[in-house]
Amino acid sequence: MVSLFSPQTRMGRFVRTLSSSYVLLLAATAYSLGVVPIILTYGGSTSLGLWSLIVQFGTYLTLLDAGLSSACIRQFVGPIVRKDSAGLASKFQNALVLAILQGLLIAMAGWSGSWLVPWLAIPPDQAHAFATLFLAQCCLVALEFPFRPFNSLLLAQQRFEFNYLATAAGMILSLGLVWLGMAQGWGLWSLIVAGAFQAAVKTTVATVSVARLWGMGGFFAKSQVQLQTMRQLLAESGSFFSGTFFGTLGGLAQSTLLSRWFGLEGVAAWNVGSKAANLLFQLLSKFYESSFAGFSELFESGRTDLLLRRLGQLFGWVLGSSLFVATGICLLNGEFVRLWTAARISWEPGCDVAIALWLLGLTASRGFAEQVKILLIWKWIRLGPALEFLLWLVLGPWLAHRFSFPGFVLGAAVAPLAVAGLVYGFAIRPRFGAAATGLLPRELRGLFWTGMILFVLAVVSRL
């Protein structure tokens, strides 16, 4: 058992990262479950919808990251494996400068809140609150940006468990701040205070962890900041930017459609009704996140056959498990929404089938996307997210217009399902065929088909 958690082995680092990420997910779940009834109690569904838009659009501004954070994890692995301290310091310094500039841009973008008011059809009595809270939220996001290279460095080294645990503790403590602030009449500013506390915990732990593992002197002993190096770093990050860009663009388009067609109540319904599926998706996707650096290390070491075998095993297990999870969502999600919100949020039964499909599509698409990033299949790193967004752009609004809110939920599910099955699957299959390794290993096919049968039966029972 001790060796299973040993930081000296690849498996030990994976287990430590995975288990601690689940602690964070549990804390995030408790935070999100606790925040919603607090907001509904003190502000109602309108306040919940308003805060959902603020958080979403603040998150969308991370588009300015330009794929740098995701790419840095993959790019830092090579120098770490080769023990190239000079190369690692160069990449880190230039990434840090870029992250600081990105943070400044996000802070400046926070002043655009008043321009978003008419676009999102925010009621006049909520316009000022939206603009000021949006600016504050953007400043919080901006302050965390310079610490992203620190996080990428720790993730590349597979030593991020302490950060997960500290962030989890910060979330649980900040939930008390939300309740206290709401009770004192601070309104939605209570969530800004809680966010500031969480940001302080995360940035402090990231800095201390990097200093403890490497020491700051090695990274800054010699200045290696060069415009040419930053341009090269951005060019390498450009492919990873596709996922961030089109994911953000898709979320922006969905939020706009929700707000304009279904109002703040529709925004609240989507965020509440999709919460369980989204949390369970995060639970499954942690396996991809926690194994990314370890698998990238196998690729950099030239152990391709072992890498493909492990990728197939992980993907098959997660995909098979997601069918069982989606079955539960299909059958129980509506009751969960009713109990969680004390029936104050309207959620139609037909939406549960669409949400279950959404979960399956996200899980399959995310698994394939991680594989092409690990294997550095640049074409599909760039094109996959773009195709997913374009497909939603074609079908999503039409389904929402044709079938109202349930159509919107179904539209969100169609794009990732189709791209995972028809695009990513065919793109990645030749790599596994060349290595005589099945995309879905034989030992996991029973799990997959059992889950598929149960899911189909659940869908039939709901329809």
Side-chain angles (χ1 to χ4, degrees), residues 364-438:
S365 179
R366 177 63 175 273
F368 282 130
E370 293 298 299
Q371 290 184 15
V372 299
K373 290 176 183 176
I374 291 166
L375 297 170
L376 296 180
I377 307 176
W378 297 106
K379 175 182 178 181
W380 295 110
I381 293 175
R382 302 184 192 102
L383 291 181
L387 292 174
E388 188 171 318
F389 170 73
L390 291 174
L391 183 59
W392 178 85
L393 199 62
V394 171
L395 295 178
W398 179 81
L399 288 169
H401 177 72
R402 180 70 177 81
F403 301 105
S404 191
F405 188 77
F408 169 84
V409 181
L410 180 61
V414 168
L417 271 173
V419 170
L422 301 178
V423 179
Y424 278 134
F426 286 102
I428 204 74
R429 189 179 297 274
R431 294 295 183 101
F432 285 86
T437 302

Side-chain angles (χ1 to χ4, degrees), residues 103 176 188 198 212 269:
L188 293 179
Q198 293 176 29
R212 182 175 61 87

